[in-house]
Amino acid sequence: MADFQHVHEVPPEGANADWTIPQNWEAFNADNHRMWDRLFTRQSELLPGRAADAFLRGIDMLKLSNSGIPDYRELNARLEAATGWTVVAVPGLVPDAVFFDHLANRRFPAGNFIRSPLQMDYLQEPDIFHDVFGHVPMLTDPVFADYMVAYGKGGLRSLRFGALHHLARLYWYTVEFGLIEQPDGLRIYGAGIVSSYAESIFALDDPSPNRIDFDLVRIMRTHYRIDDFQQNYFVIPSLEFLLKVTLETDFAPLYANLKALPDIAVADIVPQDSIVTRGTQEFAASRNKKVWFYRSKHGL
Ligand code: PHE
Ligand code: FE
């Protein structure tokens, strides 16, 4: 824990009972805004043709192309008009139940700091760029917006079954690292990918990772990496499909069944997999340097 400056056990001084704090936009300095602009420019140039249409529409709709760290007063006016969601600032990682409660109420908690220039590609905790650039554009899409609400409610429910670690994998392989099959080709929509320059290329173009069709139980059995590019990506046919299958499935019996099913290691293929591309896994095998480290805040 000592490594993570922004982890707290109880709301720190000055935070509200729900862990929110004022964004205090005026407190960001010119370097902070420049950092946002550098990251924003690099990703916006890379993502057309790579990111999902819903994500690119979100970027346009939020007018995030205004320079500097977005002021949530302005950002939230646009976001709330689209789907009723808002972004709220929090001091860092928040407890699971707090996180889920915010999602269930259409509030996305965002860490209130931005990385330093030495952390362009390597970051231990989600910062404003990951949380706002990565997550918020998708929240302008009505279907994805509903998925995130359902996920928040499902998260609270999973705690009662002691099944958070299974549900956390669903978040990981959709919200953070999901791929989508559009009529015009495979695209990225996961926030962990779209906020990372190198993984935005790797996830679509590299021969190393497996790309496998979305399967709810399969995903909830699958480990994931938090210290490097993924060795598995899961592909949804559409956002509507993702929402429908998760909303219409009662997870309680799945959680019960999962107790008896073995976990699946990150790079493994199982007989029932519908494979989009079978990875060579050569990248993982040759790897000794971390590029992207995302500390899991959702239960694993
Ligand atoms: N239907 C799920 C349940 O019964 C809730 C859920 C919805 C979970 C969407 C994740 C995503 O728990
Ligand atoms: Fe995230």
Side-chain angles (χ1 to χ4, degrees):
M1 282 302 199
D3 293 1
F4 302 104
Q5 286 170 30
H6 304 92
V7 177
H8 306 273
E9 303 298 326
V10 294
E13 226 185 293
N16 300 309
D18 68 356
W19 289 70
T20 59
I21 55 174
Q23 184 195 19
N24 199 10
W25 185 84
E26 287 72 18
F28 293 109
N29 64 28
D31 285 343
N32 297 150
H33 290 301
R34 232 186 329 268
M35 191 66 226
W36 170 280
D37 289 342
R38 274 177 71 187
L39 291 160
F40 182 91
T41 303
R42 188 169 67 156
Q43 286 313 95
S44 324
E45 284 169 2
L46 180 64
L47 291 179
R50 289 185 179 275
D53 290 345
F55 180 89
L56 297 170
R57 270 197 304 272
I59 290 280
D60 282 348
M61 199 183 293
L62 294 169
K63 303 219 174 47
L64 286 175
S65 51
N66 289 345
S67 67
I69 292 170
D71 184 334
Y72 293 167
R73 288 165 293 203
E74 198 190 328
L75 182 71
N76 281 339
R78 300 210 174 91
L79 179 58
E80 201 166 6
T83 55
W85 274 79
T86 58
V87 185
V88 291
V90 290
L93 301 173
V94 301
D96 300 315
V98 175
F99 180 71
F100 293 139
D101 188 66
H102 280 302
L103 297 187
N105 290 287
R106 293 187 185 256
R107 291 185 299 266
F108 192 81
N112 208 29
F113 70 99
I114 187 133
R115 67 194 74 183
S116 78
L118 297 174
Q119 297 170 306
M120 279 291 279
D121 302 298
Y122 175 97
L123 186 68
Q124 291 192 324
E125 292 176 67
D127 69 341
I128 299 176
F129 187 73
H130 169 81
D131 280 337
V132 174
F133 183 90
H135 285 284
V136 174
M138 288 301 290
L139 292 171
T140 65
D141 181 274
V143 176
F144 192 82
D146 285 353
Y147 173 66
M148 289 289 275
V149 174
Y151 187 92
K153 292 179 185 163
L156 292 169
R157 187 164 184 247
S158 78
L159 298 174
R160 300 206 299 273
F161 293 96
L164 175 59
H165 61 294
H166 289 304
L167 193 67
R169 293 169 182 168
L170 177 64
Y171 191 93
W172 193 264
Y173 283 119
T174 59
V175 179
E176 294 293 353
F177 292 96
L179 302 184
I180 182 167
E181 188 66 59
Q182 289 189 178
D184 53 351
L186 203 58
R187 297 288 186 272
I188 57 187
Y189 71 92
I193 312 178
V194 294
S195 62
S196 161
Y197 183 83
E199 195 153 355
S200 292
I201 298 168
F202 180 86
L204 289 179
D205 297 351
D206 204 278
S208 186
N210 300 320
R211 299 177 184 85
I212 303 168
D213 281 326
F214 178 94
D215 179 284
L216 192 51
V217 173
R218 200 292 188 199
I219 287 175
M220 289 202 285
R221 292 175 61 194
T222 308
H223 289 276
Y224 57 76
R225 303 197 57 147
I226 63 169
D227 61 340
D228 212 327
F229 299 149
Q230 302 304 301
Q231 289 168 256
N232 268 334
Y233 296 95
F234 290 93
V235 182
I236 56 169
S238 66
L239 296 172
E240 288 77 8
F241 174 88
L242 176 65
L243 177 62
K244 191 171 157 59
V245 75
T246 52
L247 209 55
E248 292 180 359
T249 304
D250 179 2
F251 283 29
L254 301 187
Y255 295 147
N257 292 344
L258 282 164
K259 289 205 167 94
L261 289 169
D263 280 353
I264 300 171
V266 278
D268 282 4
I269 297 284
V270 294
Q272 69 268 30
D273 281 341
S274 160
I275 297 168
V276 180
T277 52
R278 184 188 285 265
T280 61
Q281 297 298 333
E282 63 198 320
F283 176 85
S286 70
R287 200 71 178 139
N288 55 26
K289 185 171 158 284
K290 291 177 185 174
V291 158
W292 160 253
F293 180 86
Y294 182 107
R295 180 179 181 274
S296 169
K297 59 178 171 182
H298 317 301
L300 273 188

